[in-house]
Amino acid sequence: MRFSAFNALPRLLVFAALLAMPWLVTSDYYVNIASQIVIAAILALSLNLLIGFGGMISLGHAAYLGVAAYLTIYLTAHAGFGHLTGAVIAIGATTVLAMLFGYLALRASGLGFLMITLALGQILWGVAYRWASLTGGDNGLGGLKRPHPFGLDLNDPIIFYYFVLFFLAIAVWCIARFIQSGLGQSLQGTRDQPRRMRALGYNVWLIQWLSFVFSGFWGAVAGLLYAYYHQFVSPQTLHLTTSAETLLMVIAGGTGTLLGPVVGAALVVILKNVVSAYITRWLILLGVIFVAIVLFMPEGLVPGARRALRALRGSSRTDTVAEASSIAKDGA
Amino acid sequence: MNFWIIQGLNGLAFGSLLFILASGFSLIFGLMRIVNLSHGAYFMLGAYVGLSAIEAGVNFWIAILIGGGAICILGGVLERFILRRLTGQPLAQVLVTLGIAFIIADTCVWIWTGDPRPVPMPSELTGAFRISHLAFPIYRLFVIGVAFALAATLWFLLERSRLGAMIRAGVDDLPMARAMGIRTSLLFTVVFCLGSALAGAGGVLAGPILSVYPGLDTDMLPLALVVVILGGVGSLLGAFIGSLIIGFIYSYGQALFPDLAYVILFLPMVLVLTLRPTGLFGRQAI
Amino acid sequence: MATPILEVTGLYRYFGGLPAVRDVTMRVPAGERRLLLGPNGAGKTTFFNLIAGDYPPSQGEIRIFGQNVTRKSANQRTQLGMARTYQIITLFPKNTLLHNVVISLVGLRDIRFNPWSDLRRQAALWDEARATLALVGLEHLADRTVSETSYGERRRLEIAMALAQKPKLLLLDEPLAGLSADERQDVQRLLQSIPRDVTIVMIEHDMDVALAFADVITVMQHGQVVVEGSRADVVADPKTREVYLGH
């Protein structure tokens, strides 16, 4: 990934748009949707670490969102912890969970990895659903009051929006650094040539596991913000559909790009809110989009748009388009 | 003592239903390397179709054929017209089956609403079977019998028939099977239809025990995955033993630790992945 | 006698009950150029993969630099000072040549676990990679992506990635496969320029090149060692003829 004005421009535009969002829209309703997008973007970015840069397709990423959200609400609203302590424990414990899940899922690769992540994700859904004495079961868990960090009133939608945007900025920064770091580059090597990487002295398993845990950590951060935003969490947060929506954000936006998951998150959240306003059949649409993207646009929106732009500018470097891996071509 | 026997039979019955679902899933995965995430949705849709047939006055046994047949056709169409286009792209195939699972699930809510619907039992199998002071529903014994008969039939089909020889050759080494002149294209469709039909018919059969409700698909699908991870890829014996293990754990767990039954269900998978990643009867890691 | 660089004792490997490697014993002292010969399916590449640690042997022992590595993973063996190339070129096609060599360098450095430092700013690494490319005559292509290079250039890059790690033991799996006559000479010259403190075990089919290069030759057939000895010994041995010409 080379840095050039051409590559940086869309990123700057997206961030300018995100910063200016509260002035661009007219009502709190839209500011709230923007907050949802930002939280979803953090989650999608973390999943993209696995999918785009590690070639590991996880169908259990809702686990980190949901567990961190449940823990946050349980600890602060029901177990009497302070906001800071609650947040630290929630993120720490969820990261430990990612260590365990990573250990299990990385016993396999490709399709096996996908099956195990799905199964592990559904366990947590089952726990949340059936262990009603702790989780409130189907009714979910609520009662959380938004914190007032540094005297900021997070009940104000605009302040809350900038609060989560701050976290997104940190996430993007850390993940961008990760991608260019020794570990991130090693991860991309294990995605493309695991056998060669082993012969070059890399412990492929350890590199994938560390990346898995890093991804789980950012998923947990998204879960914390999710809990603050909704002040409520239910088993639905842990359900396969949440994992699938996150996956859709990543592949719709384009795997293996920094910007793609953010665009994908915006797309899915907006679509979901718009559709839910008119009809109740969001799941059918989700399914149709999945099928359509895989069949007709496997590389995702951002790489597709980038290629179209390149073609418009008459660039001859066609082969660099392949730098973002297409979901469809990643073998198992 | 009675508790253990009754719960054991319940576990056997649930394991039997699971086997009907998981055997098809395992066959498809083993031969075609397709993780069919629609499989749970096939099961649920089959049950709904069967229910509607029964409500329209059709006999229970015919309803099983209708449910299985409908899903068989659906599976065949999806295999031919969508999955076939994505040959060699296993992850794309998985995502498509996931999308289809959502479409089916939501369509079911649309048509059959969100309320759980019990499927009426065939009148000839109502009532309980009694030995001294133990009573056990005849229908559950029947389901257990069906699963064992199915296991025997599938075993015979795989190990003794020409079709089975072709399937085994395909599971072991697909390019080699192709080179030997096996028409893998047709074989794939046949196996996918067979697996789908089993899921659909299994759904109808499960109806009187589990009822049909939105979410039945995502309740059952992870269990099928666990059975395959547990038993080993493409192994019929693995799917059978795996199903029974999960059936027993589900039944006893539900009765002894109702809060945690769902977690306990996954413990064997965790153990197998840690100690033997090929699964109990598999030869290759998943 | 000094500890051999590579010492293999009674090595077996079965695939589904069939032996691919049977009772192979081999000692390669420091600095030697060892050549493995044999028809296709003789088990040479399986033997290579066993030494490299791609999979464990069914039976037997492997020692490199005097250390028992039979149960050690491929990456652990590489950390000890072993490097290999592949018969089927295994590179990172979307990255530049320079980047490929950097990946190879990073494999032996702790920065591979660092999630924060920007690899692009590690000037010393990139300089070293450039120097390695110069060694194999690819410096002028350093910033091209692999997909833009010729087959012969990729072969040389394969070797450069192994040499970058400054191995004490180098395993070359058919480094000349698929090359034109000119390219062969280039690669041959490159191989001859490798200093003698690197011990080399090589599989090669091109007899002229291979014979000129090797100190000791091991001929394999059906997973077993048939003949072993100096160039003259092996060429003179009737069993060599048998292996190559049929009975």
Side-chain angles (χ1 to χ4, degrees):
Chain A
M1 236 171 265
R2 290 177 195 83
F3 266 105
S4 66
F6 175 60
N7 269 344
L9 187 64
R11 288 180 197 175
L12 288 175
L13 280 178
V14 166
F15 265 88
L18 286 170
L19 266 179
M21 185 70 79
W23 285 287
L24 297 176
V25 299
T26 45
S27 76
D28 285 352
Y29 173 74
Y30 294 108
V31 176
N32 281 333
I33 287 186
S35 295
Q36 285 182 35
I37 290 174
V38 168
I39 296 168
I42 297 174
L43 186 67
L45 278 168
S46 75
L47 179 60
N48 188 37
L49 274 174
L50 294 184
I51 295 178
F53 297 99
M56 302 176 265
I57 313 283
S58 162
L59 265 176
H61 214 62
Y64 314 109
L65 181 81
V67 169
Y70 264 106
L71 282 173
T72 304
I73 296 182
Y74 182 80
L75 291 172
T76 52
H78 300 267
F81 284 84
H83 269 295
L84 187 62
T85 330
V88 170
I89 298 177
I91 289 180
T94 308
T95 308
V96 171
L97 182 80
M99 293 178 185
L100 176 68
F101 279 16
Y103 169 76
L104 291 171
L106 287 170
R107 301 293 288 180
S109 58
L111 294 176
F113 177 89
L114 181 141
M115 287 165 61
I116 296 169
T117 51
L118 194 164
L120 290 172
Q122 283 304 101
I123 299 184
L124 294 176
W125 172 83
V127 172
Y129 190 73
R130 314 219 173 166
W131 199 351
S133 55
L134 197 69
T135 64
D138 209 12
N139 297 323
L141 211 55
L144 177 92
K145 293 198 171 50
R146 287 183 185 173
H148 286 71
F150 310 108
L152 294 172
D153 182 10
L154 293 184
N155 291 312
D156 180 328
I158 293 182
I159 293 179
F160 188 83
Y161 172 75
Y162 282 114
F163 178 72
V164 291
L165 191 61
F166 171 71
F167 279 92
L168 175 65
I170 294 182
V172 168
W173 184 46
C174 288
I175 289 171
R177 294 223 44 148
F178 176 87
I179 290 165
Q180 295 299 344
S181 74
L183 183 58
Q185 290 288 318
S186 305
L187 179 69
Q188 291 165 65
T190 63
R191 172 194 67 197
D192 298 335
Q193 297 282 12
R195 189 164 165 230
R196 178 84 204 210
M197 291 299 275
R198 243 169 246 128
L200 288 175
Y202 290 91
N203 185 336
V204 169
W205 185 91
L206 186 58
I207 284 165
Q208 291 179 332
W209 184 78
L210 288 171
S211 308
F212 192 101
V213 174
F214 185 64
S215 164
F217 168 80
W218 283 108
V221 172
L224 176 78
L225 301 175
Y226 179 96
Y228 287 163
Y229 176 82
H230 291 281
Q231 297 163 279
F232 170 79
V233 60
S234 76
Q236 190 58 35
T237 309
L238 284 164
H239 197 259
L240 174 61
T241 47
T242 307
S243 292
E245 280 167 13
T246 314
L247 180 62
L248 182 63
M249 293 171 196
V250 174
I251 59 173
T255 60
T257 62
L258 199 56
L259 196 63
V262 181
V263 174
L267 219 78
V268 172
V269 171
I270 291 172
L271 206 59
K272 191 175 177 180
N273 278 284
V274 169
V275 170
S276 303
Y278 296 100
I279 51 169
T280 51
R281 300 270 80 88
W282 159 243
L283 216 50
I284 288 187
L285 187 67
L286 181 68
V288 169
I289 297 173
F290 251 103
V291 175
I293 283 194
V294 171
L295 287 179
F296 304 116
M297 206 180 46
E299 62 183 339
L301 281 180
V302 168
R306 197 180 281 170
R307 189 177 53 178
L309 272 174
R310 270 213 193 86
L312 279 176
R313 292 160 79 246
S315 167
S316 60
R317 298 283 297 273
T318 45
D319 52 348
T320 51
V321 170
E323 110 193 340
S325 56
S326 135
I327 190 106
K329 299 293 184 304
D330 277 340
Chain B
M1 190 61 210
N2 287 354
F3 165 83
W4 293 99
I5 295 173
I6 294 291
Q7 289 305 332
L9 283 169
N10 277 334
L12 208 53
F14 187 71
S16 297
L17 292 174
L18 210 48
F19 173 70
I20 299 170
L21 178 73
S23 55
F25 180 89
S26 178
L27 264 182
I28 292 171
F29 182 44
L31 178 67
M32 306 164 71
R33 302 305 294 177
I34 292 178
V35 174
N36 181 21
L37 296 182
S38 309
H39 217 70
Y42 289 178
F43 187 79
M44 179 171 75
L45 181 60
Y48 274 125
V49 169
L51 173 71
S52 287
I54 291 170
E55 285 174 349
V58 173
N59 171 309
F60 183 83
W61 310 109
I62 308 288
I64 289 183
L65 291 181
I66 293 175
I71 305 303
C72 175
I73 293 166
L74 176 72
V77 169
L78 291 174
E79 199 278 324
R80 275 277 150 175
F81 294 102
I82 295 187
L83 294 173
R84 183 57 57 88
R85 290 181 54 177
L86 300 168
T87 304
Q89 304 171 26
L91 292 169
Q93 287 174 326
V94 179
L95 298 179
V96 163
T97 62
L98 180 64
I100 291 168
F102 288 146
I103 297 172
I104 294 175
D106 217 18
T107 308
C108 285
V109 178
W110 205 350
I111 299 177
W112 286 281
T113 76
D115 300 321
R117 308 272 289 271
V119 175
M121 219 174 261
S123 52
E124 53 272 47
L125 293 179
T126 49
F129 183 78
R130 286 169 204 285
I131 304 180
S132 69
H133 54 288
L134 281 177
F136 195 75
I138 292 176
Y139 185 76
R140 294 191 182 209
L141 291 174
F142 166 74
V143 168
I144 296 169
V146 169
F148 276 81
L150 175 68
T153 311
L154 283 177
W155 179 83
F156 188 82
L157 185 78
L158 281 173
E159 300 294 326
R160 291 284 179 272
S161 75
R162 226 181 100 70
L163 176 68
M166 290 195 278
I167 293 175
R168 275 183 293 131
V171 170
D172 280 349
D173 190 340
L174 198 55
M176 184 61 95
R178 220 171 263 141
M180 275 162 29
I182 294 173
R183 289 176 60 198
T184 51
S185 159
L186 182 66
L187 188 66
F188 278 15
T189 308
V190 168
V191 167
F192 203 88
C193 284
L194 175 68
S196 307
L198 283 175
V204 186
L205 205 61
I209 299 178
L210 302 176
S211 299
V212 210
Y213 54 92
L216 178 64
D217 54 341
T218 42
D219 275 355
M220 295 302 280
L221 175 69
L223 297 183
L225 298 185
V226 171
V227 164
V228 172
I229 294 169
L230 201 57
V233 172
S235 160
L236 184 67
L237 180 65
F240 188 67
I241 303 290
S243 298
L244 294 188
I245 291 175
I246 296 297
F248 284 127
I249 293 179
Y250 181 80
S251 173
Y252 288 119
Q254 199 85 313
L256 296 171
F257 322 97
D259 276 351
L260 291 176
Y262 213 72
V263 187
I264 299 172
L265 221 43
F266 291 83
L267 279 183
M269 177 183 91
V270 171
L271 278 179
V272 160
L273 281 175
T274 307
L275 302 175
R276 194 180 153 83
T278 57
L280 294 174
F281 299 96
R283 269 168 299 168
Q284 67 205 72
I286 54 165
Chain C
M1 188 178 162
T3 321
I5 293 293
L6 172 68
E7 190 174 17
V8 173
T9 319
L11 206 63
Y12 283 83
R13 172 71 202 197
Y14 296 92
F15 287 113
L18 298 172
V21 168
R22 282 194 285 179
D23 195 20
V24 173
T25 295
M26 183 182 285
R27 292 164 63 88
V28 182
E32 187 176 290
R33 268 78 178 114
R34 172 71 61 108
L35 172 69
L36 290 182
L37 277 181
N40 280 328
K44 304 184 300 289
T45 293
T46 304
F47 178 63
F48 246 48
N49 291 341
L50 288 170
I51 301 174
D54 277 3
Y55 31 72
S58 309
Q59 199 184 314
E61 190 185 82
I62 302 167
R63 288 173 168 273
I64 58 176
F65 319 124
Q67 196 175 336
N68 186 348
V69 296
T70 314
R71 298 286 150 206
K72 284 208 182 339
S73 60
N75 47 296
Q76 287 172 316
R77 297 180 199 196
T78 301
Q79 299 294 342
L80 291 175
M82 189 192 71
R84 75 170 296 182
T85 66
Y86 288 91
Q87 178 193 347
I88 297 163
I89 292 178
T90 314
L91 300 166
F92 301 92
K94 296 170 221 158
N95 294 334
T96 63
L97 271 57
L98 204 54
H99 196 127
N100 271 267
V101 180
V102 166
I103 293 177
S104 168
L105 290 171
V106 170
L108 296 183
R109 286 168 172 74
D110 289 341
I111 195 175
R112 69 185 185 279
F113 293 124
N114 185 322
W116 193 250
S117 313
D118 195 327
L119 208 55
R120 293 170 300 187
R121 302 222 175 102
Q122 310 295 316
L125 274 177
W126 294 86
D127 290 346
E128 192 176 339
R130 209 172 275 278
T132 311
L133 282 179
L135 209 64
V136 301
L138 290 176
E139 201 187 9
H140 59 296
L141 300 174
D143 296 313
R144 292 258 184 98
T145 60
V146 172
S147 51
E148 294 168 313
T149 56
S150 73
Y151 189 79
E153 286 155 358
R154 290 179 202 184
R155 273 271 168 235
R156 274 190 280 166
L157 179 58
E158 272 274 339
I159 298 169
M161 286 175 74
L163 288 180
Q165 301 198 320
K166 301 202 167 50
K168 289 180 281 175
L169 171 61
L170 178 58
L171 308 176
L172 300 170
D173 195 349
E174 297 200 34
L176 303 173
L179 296 183
S180 71
D182 284 351
E183 289 170 334
R184 262 159 203 270
Q185 288 202 330
D186 286 347
V187 173
Q188 204 180 339
R189 233 173 287 139
L190 168 61
L191 295 180
Q192 261 146 7
S193 73
I194 298 173
R196 274 280 164 174
D197 56 358
V198 181
T199 307
I200 298 180
V201 180
M202 175 166 90
I203 298 176
E204 186 47 63
H205 281 302
D206 186 320
M207 291 293 263
D208 296 338
V209 176
L211 292 177
F213 183 72
D215 301 323
V216 179
I217 297 165
T218 303
V219 181
M220 286 181 74
Q221 190 185 23
H222 305 311
Q224 282 174 307
V225 175
V226 184
V227 188
E228 186 171 290
S230 72
R231 203 178 313 168
D233 291 349
V234 168
V235 172
D237 197 306
K239 278 182 278 183
T240 311
R241 203 164 292 269
E242 213 172 280
V243 168
Y244 274 92
L245 300 178
H247 310 280

